[in-house]
Amino acid sequence: MSRDAARRDAKPMRPTMALLRKDLLLERRAPESIPAMVLFSITTFVLFHFGLGRDEVDGSLAAGVLLVTILFAAILGINRLFVAEHEEGGFDAVLMAPIDRTALFLAKGTALFLFLTLVEVVAVPAFAILLLGPSPWHGLPALIVTLALVNLALSSVGALVAALAIRTRSRDLIVPIVTLPLLVPALIAAARACAPLLAAHGDAWPAAKWLLMLGLYDLVFGLLAYAVFDFLLED
Amino acid sequence: MHGKGLRALTLATLVALSATFALVVFWAPNDADQGFIQKIFYLHVPVAIITLIAYVVAGIFAWRQLKTGSREWDLRSYVVIHIALIFNIVGLLTGAIWAKASWGHWWVWDEPTLVSFLIVFLLYATYQPLRFSIEDPERQARYASVFAIIAGAFVPLNFMAVRMATSLVHPRTFGTANGGLPGEMMFVFLVSIVAMGLLFWLIVKYEIAQKTLTWQIRALRRRLLGDDAVAPLGRSAAPTIAPQEAPAR
């Protein structure tokens, strides 16, 4: 027992890496979430084109379309996040293994972060080609920073809500209705930050307060989710 | 036992509410711009403040539940969120009426309090669906607590974000250029907050007493008529607990 504890203390990141590698391997062998999210994003851009009746968008409208699409695509990934664990008994395995339970949270959060980043690598260029009017180049570095912060928010809140919803009767209903209101502050900050980046003659960097707000959101919910995740696995 | 102090609290609440009502109608001065309708302020703002405090308190109760594992804190957290949701709806409705009266629209997006209120309502409206879609009562309590903690921390953060995002064209009630509320208004406002707080506390106490009583009645029925006479609680049953004073049988 003490040897296990010592081993666990010595390399706290190893279980996380093992769990993360398993998730990435699963997604690579049998791609499921990422293709669905990419297809969903592009379909949504097409829908926005017809729904808004516009060939080109810019400024705050562009920021809204892009971020809301990413948000909804993330919901798909969040819904699938723990399905393998739920169906194949992975939860019991994690509980029985002599590892810290938050390793599962860290692994799932990181996996979701990577999935979202991969989706955006395809979806943002597609958005720039299909819908965006002005050139995206001048605001690209700031856009990458903002989206990274958004992904962080999505993955910490997403991993927590996914764990919360996986053992309810109506997982696919609970995930969106809980996640979307929770993400409103992050969306406010991200949309305000992206609006000048996607405008025709906008600034190359958004006002610092929006990035700070996003950072604060990431910090608060990251720490909070980390603190309470344990209680979702206790059985 | 569980209804201890309920009568005194009821009387205090009645007195405070009547005093508030009398003060608001007969004593508080009419607003120079908005006239009589401004007096909805004494209902809307206290209700809003009590709602937000209650959400944060429910989060703290939920934290206690997770720490102690006791159903009692879960019940408290559940009841506080339940009543806060009702206060939240009252706050939204009075806010909409006030907006219509003073700005001519039922909904104004640049009023941060109203907008935050809607978002917070949308979040907390999912508390019961989440809770009641879980079968096991133990897990129900734990998962509901996790939700309540996250949502309790969300409330202030959300307020900050919404306030940052709104252009402040409408005058704020406190801290306007000419020094905020005049003395009489401030006094009536404070009395109103106390009355609303008492009302909230009273309803919470009543609901907890009712839940405890339900539990006792079920226990008694089971003892008198046998286990078959009492239908098992469904998954969408609100939490009930044994009163501490009851014999541990």
Side-chain angles (χ1 to χ4, degrees):
Chain A
M1 199 57 197
S2 62
R3 203 200 301 164
D4 283 340
R7 195 187 301 159
R8 178 172 49 186
D9 290 341
K11 295 201 167 130
M13 290 314 283
R14 258 182 65 185
T16 311
M17 292 315 288
L19 286 166
L20 177 63
R21 230 184 54 222
K22 179 218 50 159
D23 274 343
L24 297 182
L25 201 65
L26 267 178
E27 188 65 26
R28 210 189 70 206
R29 295 255 170 91
E32 206 174 31
S33 296
I34 295 177
M37 286 155 86
V38 168
L39 273 178
F40 177 87
S41 312
I42 296 173
T43 313
T44 310
F45 295 145
V46 175
L47 287 176
F48 268 122
H49 160 71
F50 289 109
L52 296 172
R54 295 175 61 154
D55 296 342
E56 285 184 346
V57 292
D58 66 340
S60 59
L61 187 59
V65 168
L66 180 63
L67 286 165
V68 169
T69 304
I70 290 173
L71 221 65
F72 285 155
I75 296 289
L76 297 185
I78 295 171
N79 247 329
R80 303 292 309 168
L81 201 57
F82 281 101
V83 166
E85 267 73 16
H86 185 57
E87 285 171 359
E88 314 290 342
F91 283 123
D92 300 330
V94 170
L95 284 181
M96 279 192 284
I99 55 169
D100 203 0
R101 285 159 194 171
T102 36
L104 186 62
F105 171 73
L106 290 177
K108 287 296 179 182
T110 316
L112 190 58
F113 184 89
L114 293 177
F115 287 4
L116 284 166
T117 308
L118 278 176
V119 169
E120 281 155 9
V121 164
V122 183
V124 173
F127 173 73
I129 293 166
L130 291 175
L131 276 182
L132 189 62
S135 149
W137 295 111
H138 75 281
L140 195 61
L143 189 65
I144 291 173
V145 172
T146 312
L147 285 180
L149 288 172
V150 169
N151 289 355
L152 215 55
L154 283 169
S155 47
S156 57
V157 170
L160 185 76
V161 175
L164 198 64
I166 188 73
R167 281 185 285 193
T168 63
R169 281 176 152 224
S170 39
R171 178 184 79 224
D172 32 4
L173 298 183
I174 297 292
V175 165
I177 63 169
V178 173
T179 316
L180 292 177
L182 269 182
L183 286 170
V184 170
L187 178 82
I188 292 172
R192 296 292 166 118
C194 285
L197 309 178
L198 300 174
H201 300 288
D203 304 329
W205 279 92
K209 62 174 182 173
W210 301 120
L211 293 182
L212 281 177
M213 179 75 216
L214 263 177
L216 180 70
Y217 183 95
D218 290 344
L219 191 72
V220 169
F221 279 95
L223 288 179
L224 215 55
Y226 186 83
V228 295
F229 186 78
D230 260 12
F231 296 105
L232 296 177
L233 289 186
E234 220 170 72
D235 271 310
Chain B
M1 356 178 255
H2 49 266
K4 200 169 154 223
L6 213 49
R7 182 176 299 157
L9 187 59
T10 312
L11 286 176
T13 309
L14 278 179
V15 170
L17 277 179
S18 325
T20 310
F21 185 70
L23 283 175
V24 166
V25 174
F26 299 115
W27 194 66
N30 270 345
D31 187 86
D33 301 334
Q34 301 176 20
F36 187 75
I37 188 70
Q38 183 267 344
K39 292 190 171 183
I40 201 172
F41 158 82
Y42 300 111
L43 177 61
H44 170 68
V45 181
V47 163
I49 291 174
I50 296 294
T51 309
L52 297 177
I53 294 174
Y55 282 144
V56 175
V57 166
I60 296 168
F61 285 176
W63 180 249
R64 300 287 295 269
Q65 194 277 327
L66 287 184
K67 283 280 131 189
T68 61
S70 119
R71 295 296 304 275
E72 212 177 316
W73 289 110
D74 176 48
L75 174 68
R76 285 183 190 143
S77 166
Y78 171 88
V79 170
V80 168
I81 287 182
H82 182 194
I83 306 299
L85 255 177
I86 297 171
F87 269 57
N88 197 336
I89 294 173
V90 172
L92 275 177
L93 291 179
T94 50
I97 294 170
W98 193 14
K100 175 71 181 168
S102 55
W103 300 314
H105 303 284
W106 290 107
W107 190 258
V108 278
W109 281 109
D110 37 13
E111 171 53 46
T113 327
L114 211 52
V115 176
S116 322
F117 245 66
L118 179 66
I119 299 166
V120 167
F121 170 74
L122 288 174
L123 179 64
Y124 274 92
T126 65
Y127 176 79
Q128 271 122 341
L130 170 71
R131 178 174 191 119
F132 295 148
S133 65
I134 298 169
E135 303 271 354
D136 175 40
E138 281 297 315
R139 186 184 288 168
Q140 210 180 70
R142 227 170 43 233
Y143 279 35
S145 295
V146 167
F147 177 91
I149 290 170
I150 294 288
F154 169 85
V155 168
L157 202 68
N158 177 51
F159 251 80
M160 232 174 91
V162 173
R163 179 149 290 189
M164 267 168 74
T166 23
S167 47
L168 297 173
V169 282
H170 288 302
R172 309 239 43 81
T173 320
F174 305 98
T176 43
N178 50 20
L181 283 178
E184 292 124 317
M185 285 187 168
M186 197 61 195
F187 174 71
V188 178
F189 174 69
L190 289 178
V191 172
S192 175
I193 281 202
V194 171
M196 290 303 157
L198 281 174
L199 180 67
F200 187 89
W201 189 22
L202 179 73
I203 304 176
V204 165
K205 277 199 81 146
Y206 265 118
E207 195 178 344
I208 290 179
Q210 182 266 334
K211 296 269 190 285
T212 329
L213 217 59
T214 312
W215 192 92
Q216 280 177 305
I217 291 172
R218 284 176 60 85
L220 281 176
R221 283 179 72 97
R222 202 176 289 128
R223 221 138 137 208
L224 285 173
L225 307 171
D227 282 344
D228 298 338
V230 185
L233 286 173
R235 93 191 131 82
S236 61
T240 57
I241 52 152
Q244 288 156 322
E245 291 84 357
R249 284 281 297 265

